[in-house]
Amino acid sequence: MVGFPTPKDPFDAPMRVEADLRGVQVTQGEVPEHLAGTYYKCVIDRQWPSFIENDLELFNGDGMIIAFRFDGGRVDFKSRYVRTPRFVAEEAAGRALFGAYRNPFTDDPSVAGVSRGVANTNVFFHGGKLYVAKEDSPPVIMDPVTLETLGEYDFEGTLTSATSTAHPKFDPVTGEMVFFGYAAKGETTRDIVYYEADRDGRLIHETWFQAPYSSMVHDFAVTQNFVVFPIIPLRSELEWIEKGESHFKWDPHEPVHLGVLPRKGTAADLRWFTGSNRFASHIMGAYDDGRFIHIDTPVGAANYFPWFPDVTGAPYDPERAKGYLSRWTVDTQDATRGFTEFRLCRFAGEFPRMDDRQETLPYSWGVMALLDGPGGHSRPGGGFRWLSGIDLDSGRQQIYWPGEDSTVGEPVFVPGASDAPPGHGYVFVIVGRRAEMRSDLVILDAQRLDAEPVCTLSLPMRIRMGLHGNWVGADELAGRTD
């Protein structure tokens, strides 16, 4: 059997460990006793080594959920693999059976027709259920306490798409979950379906349409009156995967299209607004005033992902790939069907987050991980090295640096109280102490990110690379359904 490839940094090696830890050690400050709930996060840890050379583990590795449960000043830790149909099949075989990222033509014939989803991108809670999602397949639900996998979920038979985004949005006014699927009729198709689910998780709206070209639609924007689908030229074609080539390739000749649809609108209501070639992925926040739609997202001049090739054969350009938080503004009454862009942040970064209680609404506070920090130069080595809190009204930034030989993951906002003002509370971030081969959960004051941490919780092991996560309060968890 092929072994796991040797990573450049031992910190990035596979762990393949499920763990329970009662009473995580506090090594700095004190855990705020009033915090009650669970911080869930997706990490990626392949169960068996791939038989594909240079496979994309970050995108194609097995999902694992880690959970920090807060109760009365004590924090317990739990981690469990998401036992997807793919995971179960490979577990039984004792080896990898699924091939290249989003390429069923490379799979072992024994798993033809088995869901290829790895549930490794985001974990969120809605309507009493804990969802784990990867955008190329239906979501999986897990028990929020035990982390037992309950299976792929099709919304009681009403999900008509083959895929479902890992970036749903939650309307704080109506309690609705707004989400979509791209490549909704199969890999590389241009079909997109837009859904809304009520506060109990029942689908109440569905609209199908086609994008100008097939591409990765990783995230989207939702306001009180509109949904916006960014079509970015990280394109896909069936011919490429049939020939064993990369599923996605960067096309510097294609423009960006923003598909603007009224909330609960139909395909007949869809309008496309077009701008020059550029890259964007994650949305910090979006809102509208009835006419103008404002969307905040890191924007780069070229493809962010070095593992997806350029269709022209051009080499990867790390400087042009850097994304700077910017505001796209769409005038829905503009007959030219364009949009404007204004840079909001002087440091390059990604993983933007906001106070989720302001989702779809006007907001002014956000936080993101940075590739560049004070001085304007990246530190040697991969990964994000700083966090930045951002006041979008003033442009003021506060910087958190975790120290030498340390990297940060996605920051997550946790309200200080249910009635705390927007942006007032805590920022949670997993910090990799790479020289020590272990990780911390660091809790920061969201309004004083550059101050000493409120608390540091230290694990005796490292947390694998991961993507997204969310805080779920104890009162919300109390309403879970099985």
Side-chain angles (χ1 to χ4, degrees):
M1 183 178 69
V2 177
F4 286 99
T6 301
K8 294 180 180 179
D9 187 330
F11 193 91
D12 296 322
M15 285 278 289
R16 306 174 73 196
V17 170
E18 295 178 308
D20 291 271
L21 183 59
R22 295 169 61 84
V24 180
Q25 182 182 11
V26 179
T27 56
Q28 179 185 22
E30 295 182 352
V31 178
E33 289 198 9
H34 63 276
L35 281 179
T38 302
Y39 168 42
Y40 299 97
K41 181 178 175 67
C42 261
V43 299
I44 301 165
D45 201 354
R46 184 183 285 278
Q47 176 187 196
W48 299 104
S50 176
F51 54 83
I52 301 294
E53 186 176 0
N54 299 319
D55 195 22
L56 303 180
E57 186 185 1
L58 180 64
F59 284 12
N60 205 27
D62 295 298
M64 178 182 285
I65 299 304
I66 64 172
F68 292 88
R69 187 173 301 279
F70 287 70
D71 184 17
R74 170 176 155 168
V75 181
D76 295 336
F77 173 87
K78 184 185 291 287
S79 64
R80 292 292 186 274
Y81 273 113
V82 189
R83 283 170 163 74
T84 60
R86 170 174 170 155
F87 182 97
V88 171
E90 292 188 335
E91 185 178 46
R95 64 184 179 92
L97 298 172
F98 295 82
Y101 170 65
R102 296 188 78 159
N103 189 342
F105 299 106
T106 61
D107 292 347
D108 187 288
S110 67
V111 292
V114 177
S115 175
R116 303 184 87 252
V118 286
N120 68 5
T121 306
N122 200 2
V123 52
F124 48 90
F125 194 83
H126 181 73
K129 291 181 172 62
L130 184 70
Y131 295 77
V132 188
K134 170 77 172 181
E135 65 198 47
D136 60 2
S137 51
V140 172
I141 54 173
M142 299 180 77
D143 185 290
V145 176
T146 66
L147 298 187
E148 173 191 0
T149 300
L150 303 177
E152 285 195 334
Y153 187 62
D154 62 3
F155 293 82
E156 309 297 334
T158 62
L159 186 75
T160 55
S161 174
T163 63
S164 183
T165 182
H167 283 289
K169 308 299 180 185
F170 301 93
D171 188 328
V173 177
T174 65
E176 293 167 335
M177 178 169 72
V178 185
F179 65 109
F180 71 102
Y182 77 93
K185 291 186 179 179
E187 295 293 13
T188 77
T189 59
R190 294 191 294 124
D191 302 276
I192 295 177
V193 58
Y194 148 56
Y195 295 108
E196 296 208 15
D198 66 17
R199 64 175 62 250
D200 296 318
R202 293 184 294 263
L203 294 189
I204 57 174
H205 183 78
E206 176 179 339
T207 293
W208 286 79
F209 62 93
Q210 287 197 324
Y213 52 82
S214 179
S215 72
M216 180 186 289
V217 191
H218 183 64
D219 200 354
F220 77 139
V222 180
T223 71
Q224 279 295 296
N225 294 298
F226 300 98
V227 288
V228 182
F229 301 89
I231 309 302
I232 307 297
L234 196 58
R235 295 201 299 107
S236 60
E237 291 188 8
L238 184 62
E239 179 184 1
W240 296 344
I241 61 174
E242 287 178 332
K243 294 191 298 185
E245 298 174 359
S246 176
H247 184 106
F248 291 109
K249 298 182 184 182
W250 179 253
D251 190 337
H253 304 303
E254 288 283 0
V256 169
H257 301 278
L258 302 182
V260 176
L261 188 65
R263 287 279 295 273
K264 297 183 178 61
T266 69
D269 302 313
L270 180 68
R271 288 180 294 164
W272 292 102
F273 294 79
T274 302
S276 60
N277 181 272
R278 70 197 89 172
F279 179 90
S281 178
H282 292 116
I283 308 297
M284 176 178 279
Y287 61 94
D288 76 272
D289 63 4
R291 173 178 174 177
F292 292 95
I293 305 170
H294 305 290
I295 305 164
D296 299 336
T297 177
V299 179
N303 173 29
Y304 181 80
F305 301 113
W307 47 81
F308 292 133
D310 192 297
V311 296
T312 68
Y316 180 74
D317 187 334
E319 286 302 314
R320 296 187 73 240
K322 288 181 178 179
Y324 295 86
L325 186 67
S326 303
R327 175 163 292 177
W328 288 346
T329 297
V330 177
D331 180 353
T332 59
Q333 297 180 20
D334 180 7
T336 68
R337 298 290 179 90
F339 61 92
T340 63
E341 179 178 306
F342 175 77
R343 184 176 290 187
L344 300 169
C345 174
R346 66 191 182 101
F347 297 126
E350 248 294 346
F351 285 155
R353 295 297 299 258
M354 62 181 296
D355 181 339
D356 292 335
R357 298 173 300 169
Q358 300 299 110
E359 190 77 74
T360 77
L361 302 171
Y363 75 107
S364 61
W365 178 91
V367 63
M368 63 189 298
L370 299 182
L371 289 165
D372 291 336
H377 300 289
S378 300
R379 291 178 178 269
F384 299 101
R385 301 299 179 110
W386 298 265
L387 293 184
S388 175
I390 306 168
D391 184 317
L392 297 174
D393 290 337
S394 67
R396 186 173 67 93
Q397 292 185 249
Q398 294 179 333
I399 306 295
Y400 165 69
W401 180 55
E404 296 288 348
D405 300 315
S406 299
T407 51
V408 299
E410 177 196 50
V412 171
F413 175 78
V414 178
S418 60
D419 58 351
H424 286 255
Y426 307 100
V427 169
F428 283 18
V429 63
I430 301 291
V431 175
R433 307 297 184 186
R434 303 182 81 86
E436 302 173 35
M437 295 293 286
R438 63 170 195 83
S439 297
D440 291 337
L441 172 59
V442 176
I443 301 176
L444 304 165
D445 184 332
Q447 292 295 310
R448 300 175 62 240
L449 224 64
D450 50 358
E452 284 293 310
V454 173
C455 176
T456 299
L457 294 148
S458 296
L459 294 169
M461 61 184 188
R462 58 195 166 91
I463 299 298
R464 284 276 292 155
M465 59 185 176
L467 295 170
H468 306 293
N470 288 283
W471 168 263
V472 184
D475 52 348
E476 188 175 5
L477 284 169
R480 71 189 180 100
T481 59
D482 296 321

